[in-house]
Amino acid sequence: MSKFSHLPASHVLEQVFSICQERNLAVYLVGGVPRDILRNRPTRDIDLLVQNDACGIARKVANRLQGHFYVLDNARNTARVILYPNGQKL
């Protein structure tokens, strides 16, 4: 059993934490997800804070999970990964 199996989108978190562990980087679950977990609510997005190289991590996550990668702000090293349920575009 995964240590993330009780969290929303556990398969995504497994990949993110695996990639960060490979690079020896800290990663933190932030934003609404911790609140939603505590309130036992569903969540549609996951916000993460990565110690370093957020754009590189986001690109690798998108590649592993067959999603899309977008740089939001190069100067602040901010990116977004868009994933679709079952690989289907909405």
Side-chain angles (χ1 to χ4, degrees), residues 19-51:
I19 291 166
C20 288
Q21 188 174 29
E22 289 168 9
R23 296 181 179 199
N24 200 29
L25 296 174
V27 60
Y28 304 92
L29 196 58
V30 298
V33 175
R35 177 202 59 226
D36 293 342
I37 290 168
L38 291 171
R39 292 182 177 177
N40 201 25
R41 288 182 171 173
T43 189
R44 293 185 51 100
D45 69 329
I46 300 169
D47 298 314
L48 299 166
L49 173 71
V50 181
Q51 179 185 14

Side-chain angles (χ1 to χ4, degrees), residues 2-7 14-15 19 25 27 46-47 53 56 58 63 68 71 80 85 87:
S2 162
K3 61 183 172 183
F4 302 109
S5 61
H6 64 291
L7 298 177
E14 285 285 348
Q15 292 303 313
I19 291 166
L25 296 174
V27 60
I46 300 169
D47 298 314
D53 192 25
N63 288 344
H68 298 279
V71 173
R80 174 172 289 150

